[in-house]
């Protein structure tokens, strides 16, 4: 409740880095001081990871330092292409698990990555708008969090540049989420889900973009 900034650090998987195989993603979620507050693990099968790669369905379980699951992120298998506007990405966030906190819905746009943050009743709350190019060579990539009219920026989800070796030869990533401190804590949980979705949609396959 007191945080206005969250750092998400994807853990390096040695097997994936050496062999190029796709393994379940693991993340540390930290406060601005670098202290771990949550640990997130992706749950899915090897078949999904290999066949569908960044399009894969997944469930991410987020646990506190005592090992209690506090947030669950559920992503079904859907499209990302603007050619299929009726079947774009939609992600559900539960907190506590079993209770819907909100949704992340991809919006159709021919040029920019756009998402809507919704509450548990599927009412629109915020917008997320990314840049036209998300390659982020030698610089951070910012997805701005905006009000519904898209006129005011109130925060951002940033993919931090982590160096040539990490960005090109591994899929690991560091993200930062900045939101108003008084934002509904359930919407903060949904923002974490949005960060995971952005990671898989735009930054999962570093080698494929060379």
């Amino acid at each position: 409740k007191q945080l206005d900034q969250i750092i998400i650090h994807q853990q390096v998987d040695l097997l994936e880095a050496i062999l190029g195989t796709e393994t379940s993603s693991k993340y540390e979620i930290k406060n601005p001081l670098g202290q771990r507050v949550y640990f997130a693990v992706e749950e899915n099968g090897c078949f999904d990871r290999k066949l569908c790669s960044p399009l894969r369905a997944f469930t991410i379980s987020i646990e506190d330092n005592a090992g209690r699951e506090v947030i669950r992120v559920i992503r079904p298998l859907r499209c990302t292409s603007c050619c299929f506007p009726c079947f774009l990405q939609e992600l559900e966030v539960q907190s506590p698990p079993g209770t819907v906190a909100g949704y992340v819905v991809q919006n159709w746009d021919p040029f920019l990555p756009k998402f809507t943050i919704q509450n548990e009743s599927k009412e629109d709350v915020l917008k997320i708008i990314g840049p036209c190019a998300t390659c982020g060579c030698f610089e951070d990539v910012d997805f701005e969090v905006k009000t519904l009219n898209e006129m005011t920026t109130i925060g951002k989800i940033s993919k931090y540049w982590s160096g040539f070796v990490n960005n090109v030869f591994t899929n690991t990533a560091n993200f930062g989420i900045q939101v108003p401190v008084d934002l509904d804590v359930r919407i903060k949980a949904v923002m974490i889900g949005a960060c995971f979705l952005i990671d898989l949609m735009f930054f999962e396959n570093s080698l494929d973009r060379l």
Side-chain angles (χ1 to χ4, degrees):
K1 288 183 178 181
Q2 292 79 30
L3 293 180
D4 60 357
Q5 183 177 4
I6 302 167
I7 308 299
I8 298 180
H9 172 66
Q10 185 175 3
Q11 292 191 323
V12 177
D13 190 290
L14 204 55
L15 183 63
E16 183 174 355
I18 295 173
L19 301 180
T21 57
E22 197 71 59
T23 60
S24 293
S25 298
K26 300 179 181 66
Y27 304 85
E28 285 187 313
I29 301 174
K30 303 177 180 180
N31 63 21
L33 299 177
Q35 299 165 328
R36 191 174 89 175
V37 291
Y38 296 121
F39 184 73
V41 180
E42 177 188 355
E43 301 172 356
N44 59 19
C46 179
F47 179 80
D48 290 329
R49 294 194 299 271
K50 192 65 178 176
L51 183 64
C52 302
S53 195
L55 288 177
R56 63 185 180 267
F58 65 69
T59 297
I60 292 181
S61 175
I62 302 177
E63 299 178 350
D64 62 17
N65 288 326
R68 295 181 296 254
E69 186 180 17
V70 292
I71 302 172
R72 183 178 298 160
V73 180
I74 302 170
R75 179 203 195 189
L77 180 64
R78 296 175 72 95
C79 297
T80 59
S81 172
C82 62
C83 298
F84 300 94
C86 296
F87 205 62
L88 295 176
Q89 291 294 306
E90 183 171 320
L91 180 147
E92 178 182 301
V93 178
Q94 300 176 357
S95 182
T99 301
V100 175
Y103 302 87
V104 184
V105 179
Q106 183 186 8
N107 305 130
W108 185 88
D109 189 279
F111 304 112
L112 298 175
K114 288 190 174 185
F115 303 88
T116 298
I117 301 296
Q118 298 178 332
N119 63 17
E120 69 277 10
S121 302
K122 289 209 166 186
E123 298 168 334
D124 295 351
V125 178
L126 296 169
K127 296 282 188 178
I128 297 176
I129 302 177
C132 184
T134 59
C135 59
C137 294
F138 306 107
E139 62 182 2
D140 298 343
V141 180
D142 293 332
F143 287 72
E144 295 184 333
V145 180
K146 292 180 173 286
T147 53
L148 290 179
N149 61 12
E150 301 183 6
M151 298 297 292
T152 305
T153 300
I154 65 165
K156 62 182 179 179
I157 297 175
S158 301
K159 196 274 185 181
Y160 298 136
W161 169 253
S162 53
F164 181 80
V165 173
N166 275 345
N167 274 38
V168 174
F169 294 105
T170 76
N171 289 331
T172 59
N174 292 310
F175 287 86
I177 302 173
Q178 295 181 34
V179 292
V181 69
D182 58 351
L183 185 68
D184 188 319
V185 68
R186 292 169 296 183
I187 300 302
K188 289 183 182 179
V190 177
M191 295 297 296
I192 293 175
C195 184
F196 291 143
L197 181 60
I198 288 170
D199 179 26
L200 264 70
M201 287 182 64
F202 301 104
F203 305 108
E204 175 78 4
N205 287 331
S206 300
L207 285 174
D208 293 348
R209 293 195 296 273
L210 289 179

